[in-house]
Amino acid sequence: MNSEAQKNFGRMDQLSIQGVPFFFMVDFLMENVWVFTEPELADSGLLVDFKDFKNSNVEEGPDKILELVSFPESLETYKNGFEKVQENLRFGNSYLANYTCTTEIETNFSLEEIFHFSKAKYKVLVPDQFVFFSPETFVEIANGEIFTHPMKGTIDAAKENAVETLKNDAKEKAEHYTVVDLLRNDLSMVADQVKVNAFQRIDFIKTKQKNLYAMSSEISGKLKPEFQNKIGSIMKTLLPAGSILGAPKPKTLEIILEAENYERGFYTGVCGRFDGKNLDSCVMIRFIQKENGKLYFKSGGGITHLSILADEYQEMKNKIYVPIL
């Protein structure tokens, strides 16, 4: 972690101790940490749409129908990275690795239009750089308690008995159990009395391209005294987010950096808003990046020793969607 990132984590602590509202973004490798007080956010040009905070409003719907074409890498190219991950799984270096890819897309919507008209729990636009529309909460903090909601495991909602299939699939269950256990351990670093409140909850995600079911759980704990009102210290301890990395975290990070043929940047990082008392944050997934005038959608999924190449390749492609109906 570089000195600038350290300084900004420290600034997050100072602001949260003082009860000053702010918005923050942290990239996957914790090399870029952006912190904005409310006046700074207003001047930044960033657009944010969270459950309890929004700095942009568009009342009317889009005046056109979404068109989206994707150009995924070949199965053979995907297989190269997949097999590097699987080799490490066989050697016992990891038991879950979240392997992702970048896919060129073409659409008749701009990044700003995607931000305004997509339906998602969390949306952020960094003008002319990237937009995301994430369904996944990272951590929430309220009244001294911390909550996390790992989302791991998806299925095409059109499949027969899709919910039961998802809940009972051996690979998906193993992946979900692993992430829940990992994040329960992570929360234990900053909280006491950590417990699983809900397990294998099923969420429905509706899109124009394909409807999906996603599996999530809820874990909570009471913040330790040394982490009370210290948002920067909490983030520095918990990141990178386990649900988009894998376990064990340090070795799995090495595996991902070797297997993936691009840099994630802010994709699968974390952003959030502290309102002066409480925190809401999300994992930056469902992510479209603009590079050299072209658009790239970043997606992937968890790989375990039970993973089947064709299924994981299809899941990576299934997640290339924009939730505009």
Side-chain angles (χ1 to χ4, degrees):
M1 188 185 306
N2 59 48
S3 59
E4 186 69 19
Q6 288 277 18
K7 185 177 81 173
N8 282 325
F9 278 125
R11 185 177 184 226
M12 289 165 65
D13 276 350
Q14 292 169 357
L15 291 171
S16 50
I17 289 169
Q18 294 165 4
V20 177
F22 65 90
F23 181 78
F24 70 90
M25 302 181 76
V26 184
D27 72 355
F28 174 58
L29 295 178
M30 294 191 290
E31 293 173 343
N32 292 285
V33 180
W34 297 352
V35 184
F36 305 91
T37 61
E38 291 191 338
E40 290 167 346
L41 184 62
D43 292 338
S44 71
L46 268 70
L47 298 183
V48 179
D49 188 343
F50 277 26
K51 180 176 58 179
D52 296 319
F53 176 79
K54 183 185 295 188
N55 68 354
S56 173
N57 284 302
V58 172
E59 297 299 330
E60 298 180 4
D63 58 2
K64 55 188 173 183
I65 296 173
L66 175 73
E67 296 172 9
L68 177 68
V69 181
S70 63
F71 305 92
E73 64 184 33
S74 67
L75 178 61
E76 197 60 37
T77 300
Y78 180 87
K79 182 180 177 182
N80 292 334
F82 177 85
E83 289 190 338
K84 286 178 183 175
V85 172
Q86 284 282 27
E87 182 179 26
N88 277 281
L89 292 170
R90 287 193 295 271
F91 287 154
N93 295 329
S94 174
Y95 42 96
L96 170 65
N98 202 79
Y99 175 56
T100 72
C101 305
T102 183
T103 300
E104 185 180 346
I105 63 168
E106 292 178 358
T107 177
N108 60 331
F109 275 57
S110 66
L111 294 184
E112 188 167 357
E113 288 172 325
I114 290 170
F115 170 83
H116 285 306
F117 300 123
S118 59
K119 305 295 183 185
K121 192 174 182 180
Y122 303 94
K123 300 190 294 183
V124 172
L125 171 73
V126 179
D128 216 37
Q129 292 187 45
F130 62 81
V131 66
F132 70 82
F133 34 91
S134 176
E136 183 171 356
T137 300
F138 178 50
V139 295
E140 296 172 298
I141 296 174
N143 303 317
E145 281 197 276
I146 185 168
F147 301 84
T148 188
H149 308 265
M151 181 179 286
K152 188 59 65 176
T154 59
I155 192 170
D156 186 339
K159 287 190 174 181
E160 189 174 354
N161 299 318
V163 171
E164 293 76 12
T165 301
L166 177 59
K167 279 192 168 185
N168 295 303
D169 181 273
K171 182 264 174 183
E172 299 288 3
K173 281 175 67 175
E175 187 179 341
H176 197 79
Y177 273 80
T178 298
V179 167
V180 168
D181 191 50
L182 170 64
L183 292 187
R184 184 170 54 188
N185 290 337
D186 277 1
L187 278 202
S188 296
M189 294 188 288
V190 300
D192 297 317
Q193 301 176 41
V194 174
K195 59 186 178 181
V196 178
N197 301 321
F199 185 67
Q200 284 190 299
R201 183 178 60 208
I202 302 297
D203 301 310
F204 181 68
I205 301 172
K206 187 175 182 64
T207 81
K208 184 177 177 65
Q209 291 79 25
K210 184 171 290 196
N211 296 330
L212 302 172
Y213 285 114
M215 189 157 53
S216 63
S217 293
E218 179 183 282
I219 309 165
S220 69
K222 295 188 180 297
L223 281 176
K224 295 179 178 181
E226 60 267 35
F227 285 101
Q228 291 282 351
N229 300 316
K230 288 190 174 180
I231 302 300
S233 295
I234 292 167
M235 290 296 136
K236 193 163 60 170
T237 302
L238 295 179
L239 294 175
S243 66
I244 46 68
L245 176 55
K249 285 168 84 170
K251 184 60 182 176
T252 304
L253 179 58
E254 291 180 23
I255 295 166
I256 285 172
L257 293 177
E258 179 190 354
E260 295 182 351
N261 59 8
Y262 76 104
E263 293 183 3
R264 291 192 185 185
F266 277 96
Y267 169 57
T268 67
V270 162
C271 75
R273 182 175 184 269
F274 176 70
D275 67 6
K277 292 183 179 179
N278 301 319
L279 172 76
D280 188 15
S281 66
C282 70
V283 183
M284 293 189 278
I285 57 173
R286 312 300 190 260
F287 193 103
I288 299 174
Q289 181 117 19
K290 188 174 184 180
E291 298 175 18
N292 300 319
K294 294 184 176 182
L295 298 180
Y296 297 88
F297 198 111
K298 302 182 179 184
S299 64
I303 308 297
T304 73
H305 72 285
L306 296 171
S307 292
I308 298 168
L309 172 64
D311 291 348
E312 298 299 338
Y313 180 63
Q314 186 60 48
E315 179 175 345
M316 179 273 291
K317 293 192 293 182
N318 283 348
K319 289 176 178 173
I320 302 172
Y321 72 86
V322 176
I324 295 175
L325 302 179

mmCIF file of all heavy atoms in Angstrom, residues 5 78 82 157 171 186 245:
data_model
loop_
_atom_site.group_PDB
_atom_site.id
_atom_site.type_symbol
_atom_site.label_atom_id
_atom_site.label_comp_id
_atom_site.label_asym_id
_atom_site.label_seq_id
_atom_site.Cartn_x
_atom_site.Cartn_y
_atom_site.Cartn_z
ATOM 1 N N ALA A 5 -2.338 6.225 -0.370
ATOM 2 C CA ALA A 5 -3.464 5.396 0.085
ATOM 3 C C ALA A 5 -3.532 5.386 1.611
ATOM 4 O O ALA A 5 -4.615 5.526 2.200
ATOM 5 C CB ALA A 5 -3.338 3.976 -0.461
ATOM 6 N N TYR A 78 -10.104 -18.315 -22.255
ATOM 7 C CA TYR A 78 -10.613 -18.419 -20.882
ATOM 8 C C TYR A 78 -9.998 -19.623 -20.168
ATOM 9 O O TYR A 78 -9.644 -19.550 -18.987
ATOM 10 C CB TYR A 78 -12.137 -18.535 -20.908
ATOM 11 C CG TYR A 78 -12.763 -18.656 -19.540
ATOM 12 C CD1 TYR A 78 -13.089 -17.521 -18.802
ATOM 13 C CD2 TYR A 78 -13.031 -19.909 -18.989
ATOM 14 C CE1 TYR A 78 -13.663 -17.630 -17.538
ATOM 15 C CE2 TYR A 78 -13.593 -20.028 -17.730
ATOM 16 C CZ TYR A 78 -13.911 -18.880 -17.009
ATOM 17 O OH TYR A 78 -14.467 -19.002 -15.754
ATOM 18 N N PHE A 82 -8.297 -20.256 -16.385
ATOM 19 C CA PHE A 82 -9.059 -21.209 -15.573
ATOM 20 C C PHE A 82 -8.165 -22.354 -15.104
ATOM 21 O O PHE A 82 -8.205 -22.765 -13.936
ATOM 22 C CB PHE A 82 -10.238 -21.746 -16.404
ATOM 23 C CG PHE A 82 -11.065 -22.802 -15.715
ATOM 24 C CD1 PHE A 82 -12.096 -22.435 -14.865
ATOM 25 C CD2 PHE A 82 -10.817 -24.157 -15.951
ATOM 26 C CE1 PHE A 82 -12.872 -23.414 -14.250
ATOM 27 C CE2 PHE A 82 -11.584 -25.131 -15.334
ATOM 28 C CZ PHE A 82 -12.620 -24.764 -14.480
ATOM 29 N N ALA A 157 -32.440 -17.709 -14.242
ATOM 30 C CA ALA A 157 -33.755 -17.871 -13.626
ATOM 31 C C ALA A 157 -34.730 -18.653 -14.508
ATOM 32 O O ALA A 157 -35.745 -19.148 -14.015
ATOM 33 C CB ALA A 157 -34.341 -16.501 -13.292
ATOM 34 N N LYS A 171 -21.264 -27.527 -6.174
ATOM 35 C CA LYS A 171 -20.226 -26.513 -6.390
ATOM 36 C C LYS A 171 -20.655 -25.170 -5.816
ATOM 37 O O LYS A 171 -19.888 -24.485 -5.128
ATOM 38 C CB LYS A 171 -19.918 -26.407 -7.889
ATOM 39 C CG LYS A 171 -18.802 -25.404 -8.228
ATOM 40 C CD LYS A 171 -19.344 -24.058 -8.629
ATOM 41 C CE LYS A 171 -18.247 -23.036 -8.829
ATOM 42 N NZ LYS A 171 -18.779 -21.703 -9.157
ATOM 43 N N ASP A 186 -13.234 -12.652 8.622
ATOM 44 C CA ASP A 186 -12.812 -11.267 8.387
ATOM 45 C C ASP A 186 -13.479 -10.315 9.380
ATOM 46 O O ASP A 186 -12.828 -9.457 9.978
ATOM 47 C CB ASP A 186 -13.156 -10.843 6.955
ATOM 48 C CG ASP A 186 -12.113 -11.290 5.937
ATOM 49 O OD1 ASP A 186 -11.133 -11.944 6.345
ATOM 50 O OD2 ASP A 186 -12.278 -10.987 4.748
ATOM 51 N N LEU A 245 -12.494 -12.149 -4.074
ATOM 52 C CA LEU A 245 -11.097 -12.577 -4.079
ATOM 53 C C LEU A 245 -11.024 -14.088 -3.929
ATOM 54 O O LEU A 245 -10.735 -14.810 -4.878
ATOM 55 C CB LEU A 245 -10.323 -11.869 -2.953
ATOM 56 C CG LEU A 245 -8.864 -12.276 -2.741
ATOM 57 C CD1 LEU A 245 -8.062 -12.146 -4.034
ATOM 58 C CD2 LEU A 245 -8.238 -11.444 -1.637
#
